[in-house]
Amino acid sequence: MHLSRLKIINFKNYESQAFDLSARLNCFTGLNGMGKTNVLDAVHFLCLCKNHTGLNDKHLVRHGESFFRLEGNFQLTAGNPTTIVAKYPLGQRKEIERDGVPFTRLTDYIGLFPVVMIAPDDVSLVQDGSEDRRRFLDATLSQVSPVYLQNLLIYNALLKQRNALLKKMSEEKTFDATLLESLDRQMPAPAKVLYEQRRHFTAEFQPLFQAFYSDIAAGRESVDARYESDLEKADLDVLFQKNLEKDRLLQRTTTGPHRDDLALFMDGQPVKKFASQGQLKSFLLALRLAQYEVLRREKGFAPLLLLDDIFDKLDAQRVRQLVGLLISRDFGQIFITDTQRARIEAIVASFTGDYSVFEIENGQAIS
């Protein structure tokens, strides 16, 4: 699978721009703030119906305009093209069309065009709370398993209702045991699906993550990723009974898969406390590349790989290791942004396949 042509209209700082893309390597260079990352974000939106950083769709519309439109021509296999259009008019619902036919449910679309994006804000995976790491798990598994995505939506809807009920009962100084028990009976089934699929994913992901880090860092440190969940101790219905008084006191659900974490370590210590900037960048790259490899194995074809400013803060040896890794392995179609034109030229000089290089200035490709 690859994206052969991308057209962007009124998206972020782009008024109208089309890109004819290489099936293997596409490089975007230019100064900061010119729109390089926005190209990758447009590809990400076409694949997953959302911005990489979670921005509300209304903030993606170009200033002064009333809508944005993205169009991508994908080649699924040789001679099997398909056109995807994403449209968002301000104040209305976004629409995704495939060959002119709109999807009635976005959940039916997620996973058809898998993608992995590596960006500077990935540092939140390590430095922030467990919510970002759960989002990492969910983003991967939602592209792999429609069953997972459906159960995630069900669980989150029930969780929202349960938390609202706990808060209401506290404010009104009442206790509706019947309604609470009704919610509690519905939540263990989807929770079990989330737990089992996350556990299975981590078992597959962990050795890949360790191998990629070893390749990037030349074996200088050891790393680990461990899945932690309340459901390792007991089923959710048992945990609900055990934590009922605590939940009522705090007015929220204090146990369940929404509290899961992917604990991250370097040389046996929590990575956020001990890693240098270069080690942290290598760590995050290995996380994303392992995510990519899991998606490729599960989907049976290579996802798109979007690499935003990945060489910043890496020493020369780690840059060489990473470039060698990208060139030596079959990563399918790759998109790279970098402010240094010379570094981009060095990458393509060592790349034997087809490639394209675009110079970006103020939301336009000038070369």
Side-chain angles (χ1 to χ4, degrees):
M1 177 196 75
H2 72 274
L3 181 62
S4 60
R5 195 167 198 270
L6 172 68
K7 187 172 184 181
I8 303 173
I9 298 175
N10 294 338
F11 184 81
K12 292 192 168 183
N13 71 326
Y14 284 86
E15 180 179 8
S16 181
Q17 179 67 55
F19 297 91
D20 290 310
L21 302 165
S22 161
R24 288 298 316 281
L25 177 63
N26 297 277
C27 303
F28 302 84
T29 185
L31 299 175
N32 287 324
M34 293 294 103
K36 303 183 303 296
T37 299
N38 294 344
V39 179
L40 272 57
D41 212 10
V43 177
H44 188 277
F45 196 100
L46 270 176
C47 293
L48 291 182
C49 313
K50 64 179 181 180
N51 166 264
H52 172 66
T53 60
L55 272 179
N56 188 290
D57 293 344
K58 66 182 179 181
H59 298 305
L60 306 178
V61 179
R62 188 169 184 264
H63 182 68
E65 301 296 340
S66 61
F67 74 98
F68 72 73
R69 185 181 190 275
L70 305 173
E71 181 177 324
N73 301 122
F74 287 88
Q75 297 288 331
L76 299 177
T77 57
N80 184 22
T82 190
T83 299
I84 300 297
V85 173
K87 299 183 288 187
Y88 174 71
L90 279 174
Q92 301 181 41
R93 294 182 62 182
K94 74 184 97 180
E95 289 186 7
I96 305 292
E97 298 177 354
R98 181 175 185 175
D99 297 329
V101 180
F103 283 82
T104 56
R105 300 186 308 174
L106 294 184
T107 53
D108 295 332
Y109 178 76
I110 303 298
L112 295 181
F113 303 94
V115 65
V116 170
M117 183 165 177
I118 304 175
D121 54 29
D122 279 344
V123 70
S124 64
L125 280 170
V126 171
Q127 295 183 338
D128 291 352
S130 59
E131 181 180 355
D132 290 275
R133 292 182 288 279
R134 284 192 300 276
R135 192 177 296 119
F136 170 80
L137 294 170
D138 293 339
T140 310
L141 288 164
S142 293
Q143 295 188 73
V144 169
S145 169
V147 172
Y148 182 90
L149 178 56
Q150 188 62 36
N151 279 276
L152 178 66
L153 296 173
I154 292 170
Y155 180 85
N156 285 342
L158 291 169
L159 176 65
K160 185 177 180 179
Q161 293 178 50
R162 191 177 194 270
N163 287 341
L165 178 60
L166 289 166
K167 184 176 182 180
K168 179 182 178 183
M169 290 191 299
S170 176
E171 292 172 346
E172 297 179 353
K173 295 181 170 54
T174 60
F175 181 63
D176 190 337
T178 301
L179 184 52
L180 186 61
E181 288 171 5
S182 173
L183 291 171
D184 289 358
R185 283 195 302 271
Q186 298 177 67
M187 294 179 71
K192 186 176 182 180
V193 172
L194 302 185
Y195 168 67
E196 290 182 345
Q197 293 208 24
R198 287 173 179 176
R199 186 166 55 88
H200 174 78
F201 163 78
T202 307
E204 183 178 7
F205 169 86
Q206 183 187 44
L208 294 169
F209 166 54
Q210 293 170 332
F212 275 118
Y213 187 87
S214 180
D215 286 345
I216 296 169
R220 283 183 276 184
E221 307 91 22
S222 63
V223 296
D224 198 10
R226 304 171 197 164
Y227 175 48
E228 298 176 349
S229 176
D230 294 335
L231 272 70
E232 293 172 325
K233 306 167 189 174
D235 291 336
L236 191 58
D237 54 350
V238 175
L239 294 171
F240 277 163
Q241 293 176 19
K242 181 180 178 181
N243 290 277
L244 177 59
E245 292 307 316
K246 183 179 179 181
D247 289 358
R248 292 182 64 185
L249 178 66
L250 297 177
Q251 304 173 43
R252 57 182 171 83
T253 306
T254 59
T255 189
H258 62 287
R259 306 280 296 172
D260 287 358
D261 198 0
L262 187 67
L264 303 172
F265 300 92
M266 178 175 289
D267 288 337
Q269 301 295 327
V271 66
K272 70 177 178 180
K273 294 183 178 180
F274 297 98
S276 68
Q277 284 190 325
Q279 289 173 327
L280 185 59
K281 193 71 176 276
S282 301
F283 193 96
L284 293 168
L285 287 167
L287 276 176
R288 290 296 189 184
L289 293 178
Q291 177 191 25
Y292 179 96
E293 185 61 29
V294 170
L295 281 172
R296 173 160 60 177
R297 292 182 179 188
E298 295 292 333
K299 302 299 291 186
F301 58 90
L304 304 185
L305 182 59
L306 315 179
L307 308 176
D308 184 27
D309 197 22
I310 62 168
F311 300 113
D312 184 44
K313 297 185 176 64
L314 289 180
D315 59 42
Q317 181 178 352
R318 289 178 193 259
V319 169
R320 287 194 298 271
Q321 292 287 129
L322 179 56
V323 170
L325 179 65
L326 294 174
I327 291 172
S328 64
R329 298 202 184 193
D330 179 16
F331 279 106
Q333 189 178 28
I334 302 174
F335 296 73
I336 298 179
T337 70
D338 201 325
T339 55
Q340 297 186 29
R341 176 86 188 203
R343 191 155 53 192
I344 288 292
E345 290 175 347
I347 292 171
V348 299
S350 58
F351 189 75
T352 57
D354 178 48
Y355 66 85
S356 294
V357 178
F358 302 91
E359 183 81 22
I360 304 299
E361 184 176 307
N362 294 319
Q364 291 185 321
I366 60 174
S367 66

